[in-house]
């Protein structure tokens, strides 16, 4: 997606530890025009999937998620993150480990909002190790629903998440794919 790629080139800042800071349009300040274009692009990429529900995770997945949901005309659900949890019967729970933050979170979705037969498109802002996306996919399975695809705004292709999701059989579409953040420089997969 060319508009997004230009944003990354012009505004992305490469930090220590292979982290790309995109606070000016995705993770802190948000660019609504870009977000709308992201929603439209995901809608085109997953047009044939019969999606009934978009699923993301708070907080940075919500903006691309809601724009995609708006375009498809379906609801958005965002999973909540909780430090630790007393189990209750009315929520789906999966544990997700963040290598970046070196901590585990329980992610939860109310059983009210995903049902057997739902066709769920997972959307998230970043794909690194794939922990968040695969945790969301496990919640969809718990619900007896189907994952029809995973849409990612920025894929860090040099980390294992993308291959892991493909190996698990998911249809993965990433709007930009980053091959390397070495030497403070962003290199895309197709250059
Ligand atoms: P994973 O889900 O792919 O395994 O990712 P990981 O645990 O490594 O990432 C933890 C958090 O850091 C996630 O956000 C993820 O989106 C974000 N992240 C990973 N790599 C980068 C990067 O290079 N740049 C930026 N800006 N973020 C990155 P989160 O903790 O869920 O936070 P948020 O959604 O509330 O922002
Ligand atoms: Na994030
Ligand atoms: Na996220």
């Amino acid at each position: 997606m060319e508009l997004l790629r230009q944003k990354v080139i012009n505004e992305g800042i490469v930090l220590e530890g292979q982290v790309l800071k995109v606070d000016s349009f995705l993770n802190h300040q948000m660019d609504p025009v870009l977000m709308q274009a992201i929603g439209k692009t995901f809608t085109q990429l997953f047009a044939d999937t019969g999606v009934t529900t978009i699923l993301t995770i708070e907080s940075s997945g919500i903006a691309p998620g809601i724009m995609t949901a708006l375009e498809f005309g379906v609801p958005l659900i965002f999973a909540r993150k909780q430090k630790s949890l007393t189990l209750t019967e009315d929520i789906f729970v999966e544990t997700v480990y963040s290598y970046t933050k070196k901590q585990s979170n329980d992610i939860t979705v109310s059983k009210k909002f995903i049902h057997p037969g739902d066709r769920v498109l997972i959307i998230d802002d970043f794909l690194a190790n794939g922990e968040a996306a695969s945790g969301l996919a496990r919640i969809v399975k718990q619900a007896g629903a189907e994952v029809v695809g995973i849409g990612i705004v920025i894929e860090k292709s040099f980390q294992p998440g993308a291959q892991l999701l493909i190996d698990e059989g998911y249809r993965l579409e990433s709007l930009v794919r980053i091959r390397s953040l070495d030497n403070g420089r962003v290199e895309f997969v197709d250059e």
Side-chain angles (χ1 to χ4, degrees):
M1 184 181 166
E2 189 51 32
L3 180 60
L4 176 63
R5 188 187 160 103
Q6 287 307 321
K7 277 282 199 186
V8 170
I9 292 168
N10 294 330
E11 299 180 29
I13 298 164
V14 180
L15 302 180
E16 289 293 299
Q18 312 272 23
V19 170
L20 177 68
K21 189 170 169 136
V22 286
D23 272 10
S24 70
F25 63 89
L26 186 60
N27 289 142
H28 192 14
Q29 176 172 256
M30 288 183 181
D31 178 338
V33 173
L34 175 69
M35 233 32 103
Q36 186 176 42
I38 285 170
K40 288 196 156 92
T41 305
F42 280 136
T43 306
Q44 288 159 5
L45 289 167
F46 293 105
D48 61 343
T49 58
V51 51
T52 63
T53 306
I54 309 293
L55 177 64
T56 188
I57 181 164
E58 64 178 352
S59 54
S60 301
I62 294 176
I66 194 71
M67 288 310 202
T68 308
L70 180 66
E71 286 293 324
F72 270 119
V74 302
L76 170 72
I77 303 161
F78 64 93
R80 294 190 157 138
K81 290 178 200 157
Q82 274 149 306
K83 250 272 152 58
S84 73
L85 209 70
T86 32
L87 289 185
T88 71
E89 280 177 4
D90 52 359
I91 51 174
F92 299 115
V93 183
E94 287 289 339
T95 301
V96 164
Y97 180 74
S98 169
Y99 292 91
T100 309
K101 299 190 171 166
K102 298 195 172 50
Q103 65 177 35
S104 287
N105 278 302
D106 285 340
I107 66 170
T108 68
V109 173
S110 167
K111 289 184 179 174
K112 276 191 288 200
F113 300 128
I114 312 185
H115 303 103
D118 286 350
R119 299 179 62 76
V120 181
L121 173 60
I122 293 171
I123 297 287
D124 207 359
D125 58 335
F126 269 91
L127 175 59
N129 292 295
E131 289 284 322
S134 59
L136 291 172
R138 292 195 300 276
I139 282 182
V140 175
K141 281 191 188 150
Q142 277 195 55
E146 189 178 339
V147 176
V148 298
I150 299 175
I152 298 293
V153 179
I154 300 178
E155 173 189 308
K156 294 161 82 183
S157 310
F158 56 89
Q159 289 186 241
Q163 196 56 52
L164 187 131
L165 296 175
I166 291 163
D167 290 347
E168 286 178 4
Y170 295 113
R171 172 168 168 185
L172 174 67
E173 300 279 3
S174 302
L175 303 184
V176 298
R177 301 172 67 215
I178 294 175
R179 188 217 309 269
S180 157
L181 294 173
D182 290 342
N183 307 313
R185 200 177 153 268
V186 180
E187 230 179 274
F188 296 94
V189 164
D190 50 356
E191 70 181 16

